[in-house]
Amino acid sequence: LAVRLMIACCEEKSAIDEPGLLCLCDELSLYFQIRDDYINLCSSSYASKKGWAEDVEEGKFNYAVVHHCRSGADAAGDRLRNILRQRTDDVELKKYAVRIMRESGSLKATRDKMEEVRVRVDERIAALGGNGRLAGLLERLDGQV
């Protein structure tokens, strides 16, 4: 919506690649969501600022959880789904949930997906003529993972 509003207010509409910008925004949104979910499960420095394994605590199905449930590991994710249903703040149970996602390869798959989406974001940025500031921001964000 914000991109469409900016485009609508732009005086030089002919110079704007609206579909390209919208696609970039979609890819950026996906990247940021997967990155945030991944860091929340794996980063101790992030945990000290925002909290840790909040999606487990809130019973949310993020990319790693969905991957785990679809992987066939853990009887199609029954153990993990049971933990999510509890909406627990028990640290040991959250550690267990993260461990079974790690053991099933779901955290690695999440990281791989994040990197795959990041490549598409870079391609979109380049196709729109490049943007050094945005590229720099993404590099800094990648450095935090």
Side-chain angles (χ1 to χ4, degrees), residues 4-5 7 14 16 21 25 44 50 64 70 76 105-106 131 137:
R4 289 186 190 271
L5 287 171
I7 291 169
S14 63
I16 297 173
L21 282 174
C25 287
S44 57
K50 189 180 175 213
R70 288 184 172 179
S106 294
N131 185 312
L137 171 65

Side-chain angles (χ1 to χ4, degrees), residues 4-144:
R4 289 186 190 271
L5 287 171
M6 289 188 293
I7 291 169
C9 293
C10 183
E11 294 176 14
E12 298 269 343
K13 288 183 181 60
S14 63
I16 297 173
D17 176 3
E18 183 174 347
L21 282 174
L22 293 173
C23 193
L24 173 61
C25 287
D26 288 345
E27 295 288 353
L28 279 169
S29 298
L30 182 60
Y31 170 77
F32 286 123
Q33 185 62 57
I34 293 171
R35 179 188 173 278
D36 185 63
D37 293 344
Y38 179 80
I39 288 178
N40 188 255
L41 293 171
C42 298
S43 171
S44 57
S45 63
Y46 185 83
S48 66
K49 295 174 189 167
K50 189 180 175 213
W52 177 71
E54 289 176 326
D55 286 349
V56 173
E57 193 170 319
E58 296 168 4
K60 292 182 180 176
F61 279 71
N62 62 30
Y63 188 88
V65 171
V66 171
H67 182 276
H68 176 81
C69 291
R70 288 184 172 179
S71 71
D74 178 25
D78 286 342
R79 286 184 296 170
L80 185 56
R81 277 196 294 272
N82 288 335
I83 294 168
L84 292 173
R85 281 187 199 106
Q86 294 177 41
R87 297 177 183 246
T88 184
D89 61 353
D90 181 291
V91 173
E92 292 306 312
L93 200 50
K94 292 190 322 184
K95 284 180 182 177
Y96 177 67
V98 171
R99 188 175 81 231
I100 63 177
M101 285 187 279
R102 181 174 288 112
E103 289 171 356
S104 72
S106 294
L107 294 182
K108 181 183 181 323
T110 302
R111 173 109 186 188
D112 291 348
K113 177 56 81 171
M114 181 179 62
E115 291 171 0
E116 173 189 317
V117 174
R118 171 61 201 278
V119 167
R120 292 197 311 256
V121 166
D122 289 341
E123 290 169 351
R124 295 284 177 199
I125 292 170
L128 291 167
N131 185 312
R133 286 183 171 168
L134 182 55
L137 171 65
L138 291 168
E139 285 298 321
R140 282 195 308 270
L141 291 172
D142 282 348
Q144 297 171 355

